């Protein structure tokens, strides 16, 4: 690991959906400036986002306003080979071989118009991963100054442990929301707390299903969260972020919103601490039954 510790902003801005926002370059620059001005300095991408176009869209903005790069931490991911027009794989699959990880990291550097990535994550656990070989790839890319820190996403606690024995990992990026509770029980958040590696949290609003889901669970949860939010004088979105931030592993939620107001709703949660009863009321509404 490099000697400089990684410091992410408490809330991270996610760019999975940037291609859907249909912003021209100057609008993208303006969006990034406004997000930075709010104190959100960490940006989460992946090689495959936007059908392999998201990094380039963000990079175009950095090319137009290069000073912005010095105010931010850039996070990206690799390891998924997704079929697309110029990648006619027979099937979607994972690849953590030295050659593929190196080629994707070098592609990310070009797309993002940067000389160094602050954090690179292995996007999904590759069942064929050779941990010793991958760790050697991490070391050589770091020695070349191309990647400062390494981590994983969607890895089980044991998968994290395996790779972490060969090379220090700074985070496991996990799904958690009032509609996705599995990380609370599968050992990943316990491990994050035990090792003091703050997790990053994806889809904190369940990809918007918290607001739009028509299934019984989503409707029940919305009713409960709406009542709590009204009592606290806040929004359901802010309440969802506060529910995540209440976890003792000190997670970094990643926003997915293209609206500045959506980012503000996440930041508001930093001022809101849920008591145990409200936290468990949300858990109970999600599960559909009380704690045993
Ligand atoms: P999310 O916050 O759960 O969902 C974002 C969606 O919710 C957007 O479509 C947004 O629309 C909508 N939304 C937000 N506030 C709303 C409101 N008040 N009412 C109605 N809709 C609302 O996050 P996500 O985009 O799914 O994921 C966040 C980030 O996590 C991604 O950008 C990516 O960086 C990362 N991620 C990682 C993985 C992984 O495997 N590691 C997987 C998925 C995502 P608006 O834009 O209109 O607000």
């Amino acid at each position: 690991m490099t000697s400089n510790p990684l410091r992410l902003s408490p809330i991270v801005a996610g760019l999975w959906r940037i291609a859907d926002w249909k912003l021209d370059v100057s609008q993208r620059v303006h969006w990034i400036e406004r997000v930075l001005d709010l104190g959100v300095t960490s940006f989460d991408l992946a090689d495959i986002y936007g059908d392999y176009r998201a990094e380039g869209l963000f990079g175009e903005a950095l090319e137009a306003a290069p000073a912005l790069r010095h105010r931010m931490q850039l996070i990206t991911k690799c390891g998924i080979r997704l079929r697309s027009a110029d990648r006619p794989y027979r099937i979607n699959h994972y690849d953590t071989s030295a050659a593929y990880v190196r080629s994707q990291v070098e592609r990310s550097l070009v797309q993002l118009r940067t000389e160094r990535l602050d954090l690179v994550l292995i996007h999904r656990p590759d069942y064929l991963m050779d941990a010793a070989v991958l760790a050697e790839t991490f070391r050589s890319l770091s020695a070349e100054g191309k990647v400062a820190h390494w981590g994983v996403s969607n890895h089980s606690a044991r998968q994290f442990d395996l790779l972490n024995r060969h090379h220090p990992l700074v985070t496991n990026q996990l799904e958690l929301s009032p509609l996705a509770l599995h990380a609370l029980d599968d050992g990943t958040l316990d491990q994050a707390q035990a090792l003091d590696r703050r997790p990053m949290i994806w889809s904190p609003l369940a990809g918007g299903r918290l607001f739009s889901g028509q299934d019984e669970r989503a409707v029940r949860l919305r009713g409960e969260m709406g009542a709590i939010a009204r009592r606290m004088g806040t929004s359901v979105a802010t309440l969802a972020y506060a529910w995540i931030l209440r976890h003792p592993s000190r997670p970094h939620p990643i926003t997915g919103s293209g609206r500045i107001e959506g980012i503000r709703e996440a930041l508001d949660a930093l001022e809101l601490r849920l008591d145990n009863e409200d936290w468990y009321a949300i858990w109970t509404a999600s599960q559909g039954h009380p704690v045993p």
Side-chain angles (χ1 to χ4, degrees):
M1 187 139 50
T2 61
S3 49
N4 283 345
L6 179 66
R7 272 181 210 278
L8 301 181
S9 50
I11 303 293
V12 173
L15 295 153
W16 178 24
R17 302 170 192 272
I18 186 175
D20 302 336
W21 301 342
K22 308 272 183 255
L23 304 175
D24 65 26
V25 181
S26 67
Q27 289 168 324
R28 271 174 260 151
V29 170
H30 185 57
W31 187 89
I32 296 169
E33 281 170 344
R34 292 184 71 191
V35 171
L36 285 169
D37 289 345
L38 288 172
V40 173
T41 60
S42 306
F43 293 85
D44 184 73
L45 290 130
D47 55 354
I48 57 170
Y49 285 174
D51 196 20
Y52 295 93
R53 287 184 305 121
E55 287 181 329
L57 292 173
F58 197 84
E60 270 176 6
L62 293 184
E63 188 172 10
L68 296 180
R69 175 66 185 99
H70 309 293
R71 298 172 60 193
M72 65 174 62
Q73 300 82 44
L74 277 178
I75 304 155
T76 195
K77 316 182 191 77
C78 62
I80 301 179
R81 284 191 186 252
L82 200 64
R83 279 167 59 87
S84 78
D86 42 357
R87 294 185 180 229
Y89 308 131
R90 291 197 306 283
I91 192 170
N92 292 340
H93 60 289
Y94 302 149
D95 187 347
T96 52
S97 63
Y100 190 64
V101 168
R102 170 171 286 278
S103 72
Q104 289 307 100
V105 163
E106 288 175 348
R107 179 183 182 276
S108 294
L109 292 168
V110 172
Q111 295 292 311
L112 288 165
R113 279 70 159 179
T114 189
E115 292 184 352
R116 192 171 93 137
L117 300 163
D118 297 286
L119 173 60
V120 173
L121 310 178
I122 298 300
H123 206 151
R124 293 263 170 190
D126 170 14
Y127 305 112
L128 304 179
M129 174 190 77
D130 182 326
V133 171
L134 183 55
E136 193 46 46
T137 308
F138 288 176
R139 272 189 287 279
S140 60
L141 285 164
S142 290
E144 292 163 32
K146 293 174 176 165
V147 179
H149 299 275
W150 296 93
V152 293
S153 182
N154 305 302
H155 281 52
S156 71
R158 280 176 178 258
Q159 289 163 338
F160 184 99
D161 193 44
L162 168 63
L163 190 52
N164 190 51
R165 278 167 199 260
H166 290 271
H167 190 285
L169 303 174
V170 298
T171 193
N172 194 358
Q173 186 178 120
L174 302 166
E175 183 183 21
L176 178 68
S177 77
L179 277 173
L181 305 178
H182 47 275
L184 296 170
D185 286 308
D186 67 11
T188 49
L189 289 175
D190 304 319
Q191 177 186 53
Q193 198 179 165
L195 299 180
D196 195 19
R197 311 284 165 88
R198 296 177 68 174
M200 298 173 71
I201 300 299
W202 59 266
S203 291
L205 307 176
R209 278 189 304 116
L210 208 52
F211 310 97
S212 59
Q214 291 307 314
D215 55 298
E216 194 186 318
R217 184 186 187 193
V219 171
R220 182 175 61 231
L221 188 57
R222 216 160 34 240
E224 181 66 41
M225 292 185 73
I228 297 174
R230 271 192 300 282
R231 170 160 50 75
M232 294 186 135
T234 191
S235 68
V236 168
T238 297
L239 183 63
Y241 285 110
W243 185 86
I244 289 165
L245 288 165
R246 182 66 179 76
H247 194 271
S249 60
R250 301 189 298 135
H252 292 277
I254 313 171
T255 60
S257 182
R259 296 172 300 113
I260 294 299
E261 186 49 35
I263 311 257
R264 277 212 189 89
E265 286 189 298
L267 289 165
D268 288 346
L270 297 171
E271 311 299 324
L272 195 72
R273 185 176 165 88
L274 294 193
D275 67 19
N276 291 24
E277 282 189 79
D278 283 334
W279 195 92
Y280 275 100
I282 292 169
W283 183 92
T284 300
S286 176
Q287 295 283 41
H289 61 73
V291 293

